Amino acid sequence: MGSSSSSYAPKTIYLEVDGKVQRVIFSRHCSPCDIKELLCSSSNIARNTAILLIDSEGALISIDPTMPANTPNNLYKVMPHSTNQGGEKEDMFQNVLSQVAEQFSRAFRINELKTEVTNRLAMLEKRVELEGLKVVEIEKCKNDLKKLRDEMTSRGGVRVTCNCKYNFSDDGKKLSPRRDVPSYPKYTLSQETIEALKKPTFDVWHWEHNEMLSCLEYMYHDLGLVKEFNMNPITLKRWLLAIQENYRDNPFHNFRHCFCVSQMMYGMIHLCNLQERLTMTDMCILMTAAVCHDLDHPGYNNTYQINARTELAVRYNDISPLENHHCAVAFQILSMPECNIFANVEPDSFKQLRQAIITLILATDMARHGEILDSFKQKVDNFDFTNEEHVKCLKMVLIKCCDISNEVRPTEVAEPWVDCLLEEYFMQSDREKSEGLPVAPFMDRDKVTKPTAQIGFIKFVLIPMFETVMKLFPQIEEIMVQPLRDSRDHYEELKQIDDAMSEAQKKKTESMSLGGKKK
């Protein structure tokens, strides 16, 4: 997807691994080291192992992006390549490593500490499950968990968290950034980066956290929001630090996803010339809602929260529990004077900002997708930028577009996000199975593949929504809608290959079975 340029076209090779066909796809821009690691991983060989790539006739193949592609009928094989000297060095290294690990473990009593933590957490979780929603017991468990965290902190600064049953922090301990502005490096963005930030093709994988913070800071200055709302630039830095530290290290719903959505919003503002159509307040609402939209996401979706009857589901009466929580954390951060970027905004104006930001974050609940898109479809043919309801509906659709816009980006930027999302889905479905909760088929590792996960979502969710927005902003067709169509075609081709390979394997199995019966 993305650009139709051949520079984005990935290369596919086929390996024989344990008698099965393993397909490996990599970008033509990958380094030989990256490709070797990918081949090791695909062949169940330890990383950093010296390997050889051999074709079906025993000839050696060079491992680099220019290697010749093959077919499932002409498989390559990955073989470990080592010398006796290398083996001796590796044995020596392993012995030294084992001795260090043993001494470290003995010195810090790691095994005893891990056992104690595991036992105490298991005991507390069991108590919560047995007592259900009794307020007294829940409060008692919260206090015990707090004491345990304090003990762990005093023993070595380890932070204990439970991703599945969120403990809502009333004391704001986590909300304030752990590091202050002087240790926040200042980056000078190049003109090339500044221009790239305005485009959906921006590669979000090349940036570390401080660089992403600097990019977000630049966006607020560039859009005139700092000047318009009289924001203290130091407070803006502190607010962004607090935002970053209140995104968890989930596979998908993490700070990089926050940056991804915010950068896409910034790009759409420029691409659709929204600064000429909407007010500065609208710009501020769109950007701030994008930055805050998944704050403290626990990695388990609303369906899990409701079925597992977590504290968040109980707190918000099963109504968009995660989105309500994201809003609550956002305004808890803003309630701290050192992080309040709206400190110089009049109370009535702040009330307007707050309500509008809440409306947009709540709109990201996919359970409301049909309702919001239908409302926008009714307005788009006669859209009126002076009508508050029309503009409100547009802003809801814009944040929805940005939230699920990964497939608008080039393939090499978009495809890793699919892996991240599936990893998070599988974590949830595994937990649901262990807890006896319903499992959605699209999250079940035994039923879903990358193509099946993406095709329906692109065809029935992404393309219809972006094509509706295209009626209002025709300029997005080439740079946003067409890449979605290309992505749909890409995954449909992958599905055809997967289906063909499955069918071939099935016929082979049937043939072997029939041959066995004849004997």
Side-chain angles (χ1 to χ4, degrees):
M1 59 164 288
S3 170
S4 58
S5 168
S6 62
S7 65
Y8 290 144
K11 173 169 284 189
T12 302
I13 64 170
Y14 297 87
L15 305 176
E16 178 189 343
V17 180
D18 297 331
K20 297 180 181 178
V21 177
Q22 174 69 48
R23 181 161 55 92
V24 177
I25 302 176
F26 56 87
S27 166
R28 295 180 186 274
H29 300 293
C30 282
S31 68
C33 288
D34 291 338
I35 298 173
K36 286 179 181 177
E37 283 197 14
L38 187 58
L39 293 176
C40 286
S41 176
S42 301
S43 303
N44 302 319
I45 296 174
R47 289 178 61 189
N48 301 324
T49 301
I51 58 172
L52 300 173
L53 187 62
I54 302 172
D55 67 12
S56 57
E57 297 178 1
L60 293 177
I61 307 295
S62 64
I63 302 176
D64 58 60
T66 64
M67 72 170 71
N70 63 338
T71 68
N73 296 321
N74 182 24
L75 299 174
Y76 292 164
K77 192 162 186 176
V78 179
M79 302 287 290
H81 176 62
S82 60
T83 63
N84 290 336
Q85 184 180 2
E88 291 172 4
K89 288 182 179 179
E90 185 176 345
D91 289 343
M92 184 182 301
F93 176 76
Q94 289 296 337
N95 289 334
V96 172
L97 191 63
S98 298
Q99 291 175 24
V100 171
E102 183 180 348
Q103 293 173 14
F104 187 89
S105 178
R106 191 183 305 120
F108 291 95
R109 299 177 60 214
I110 289 175
N111 290 333
E112 293 89 338
L113 184 59
K114 284 166 64 177
T115 302
E116 181 185 350
V117 171
T118 302
N119 291 342
R120 293 185 68 175
L121 283 176
M123 178 186 69
L124 292 172
E125 285 187 354
K126 186 175 181 181
R127 189 186 303 168
V128 171
E129 291 169 3
L130 290 174
E131 297 301 328
L133 303 176
K134 291 181 182 177
V135 176
V136 174
E137 286 299 314
I138 288 177
E139 290 301 318
K140 188 173 186 305
C141 289
K142 285 167 64 175
N143 290 334
D144 288 344
L145 283 168
K146 186 177 184 301
K147 289 178 183 176
L148 181 58
R149 287 192 185 92
D150 293 341
E151 289 177 17
M152 289 297 298
T153 301
S154 66
R155 293 192 187 192
V158 181
R159 194 176 83 186
V160 179
T161 57
C162 174
N163 279 340
C164 53
K165 304 208 175 185
Y166 178 77
N167 182 15
F168 196 100
S169 172
D170 292 322
D171 58 10
K173 184 175 82 172
K174 181 186 170 191
L175 297 174
S176 185
R178 289 191 293 273
R179 54 199 172 119
D180 205 358
V181 173
S183 63
Y184 175 1
K186 179 174 176 56
Y187 292 88
T188 301
L189 303 183
S190 68
Q191 192 59 39
E192 182 183 3
T193 298
I194 287 171
E195 290 305 314
L197 268 176
K198 299 175 183 177
K199 299 174 183 176
T201 51
F202 187 81
D203 191 340
V204 296
W205 295 105
H206 286 174
W207 309 87
E208 56 96 16
H209 281 183
N210 283 336
E211 293 171 323
M212 290 188 280
L213 288 168
S214 289
C215 288
L216 290 171
E217 185 183 350
Y218 170 80
M219 294 175 199
Y220 269 74
H221 282 279
D222 180 59
L223 292 172
L225 303 179
V226 176
K227 183 178 180 181
E228 177 72 16
F229 295 93
N230 195 18
M231 295 178 187
N232 183 326
I234 301 299
T235 303
L236 176 63
K237 287 177 179 287
R238 286 200 187 97
W239 176 69
L240 287 170
L241 277 171
I243 291 293
Q244 181 222 313
E245 294 197 345
N246 279 278
Y247 274 90
R248 301 196 195 186
D249 294 328
N250 299 313
F252 184 91
H253 291 100
N254 50 40
F255 179 65
R256 194 175 300 277
H257 169 67
C258 152
F259 176 72
C260 216
V261 174
S262 304
Q263 185 271 323
M264 186 63 73
M265 181 66 78
Y266 178 73
M268 289 196 79
I269 287 171
H270 284 283
L271 183 61
C272 301
N273 299 316
L274 294 180
Q275 288 166 295
E276 298 176 8
R277 306 281 193 97
L278 303 178
T279 66
M280 288 295 285
T281 297
D282 290 325
M283 298 295 102
C284 186
I285 290 164
L286 285 168
M287 287 302 301
T288 306
V291 169
C292 298
H293 83 284
D294 269 334
L295 273 168
D296 199 47
H297 195 297
Y300 297 83
N301 68 13
N302 279 331
T303 301
Y304 175 83
Q305 304 297 325
I306 293 166
N307 289 339
R309 294 180 290 184
T310 64
E311 184 179 344
L312 285 183
V314 174
R315 179 181 293 273
Y316 295 111
N317 304 309
D318 295 351
I319 301 171
S320 302
L322 289 181
E323 289 72 25
N324 273 295
H325 178 57
H326 306 325
C327 293
V329 176
F331 286 98
Q332 276 189 298
I333 294 172
L334 285 169
S335 71
M336 296 185 296
E338 68 271 23
C339 296
N340 186 7
I341 56 174
F342 300 125
N344 298 318
V345 173
E346 292 296 322
D348 286 346
S349 298
F350 175 74
K351 185 177 179 180
Q352 178 189 359
L353 281 168
R354 170 175 158 80
Q355 190 54 57
I357 290 169
I358 290 171
T359 297
L360 263 60
I361 294 177
L362 292 180
T364 61
D365 183 354
M366 285 302 293
R368 299 182 57 203
H369 177 79
E371 160 210 336
I372 294 170
L373 186 57
D374 286 346
S375 176
F376 183 64
K377 284 179 177 178
Q378 293 171 13
K379 300 173 177 62
V380 71
D381 291 331
N382 298 293
F383 196 87
D384 181 1
F385 280 94
T386 64
N387 185 310
E388 285 187 18
E389 278 302 312
H390 284 212
V391 172
K392 175 183 173 182
C393 190
L394 171 62
K395 289 186 291 187
M396 292 167 75
V397 170
L398 286 175
I399 195 169
K400 284 176 59 56
C401 286
C402 295
D403 188 24
I404 54 177
S405 62
N406 287 325
E407 291 299 333
V408 167
R409 301 180 187 274
T411 303
E412 63 269 25
V413 180
E415 198 156 344
W417 281 116
V418 184
D419 296 323
C420 294
L421 185 60
L422 288 178
E423 182 182 349
E424 198 166 294
Y425 279 175
F426 295 158
M427 284 170 54
Q428 175 172 322
S429 61
D430 289 347
R431 188 171 190 90
E432 286 169 332
K433 290 174 184 177
S434 71
E435 295 181 355
L437 299 174
V439 178
F442 69 89
M443 301 179 82
D444 191 334
R445 67 172 72 246
D446 298 323
K447 297 180 181 178
V448 70
T449 64
K450 221 190 269 192
T452 58
Q454 291 301 94
I455 292 171
F457 187 67
I458 296 170
K459 287 174 68 173
F460 303 114
V461 177
L462 289 177
I463 291 177
M465 181 167 65
F466 277 86
E467 285 183 341
T468 304
V469 174
M470 187 178 73
K471 292 181 179 179
L472 194 58
F473 304 109
Q475 61 267 44
I476 75 168
E477 179 170 19
E478 180 181 354
I479 199 167
M480 299 186 87
V481 179
Q482 188 55 46
L484 288 175
R485 295 167 180 158
D486 294 342
S487 179
R488 173 200 60 200
D489 297 342
H490 166 67
Y491 282 110
E492 285 182 337
E493 287 174 8
L494 288 182
K495 185 176 185 302
Q496 288 176 1
I497 293 171
D498 286 349
D499 290 347
M501 291 179 67
S502 297
E503 185 63 26
Q505 186 63 35
K506 182 180 176 182
K507 288 181 178 178
K508 182 178 178 181
T509 303
E510 289 175 351
S511 175
M512 292 174 65
S513 176
L514 288 172
K517 288 180 180 179
K518 288 179 180 179
K519 290 179 182 179

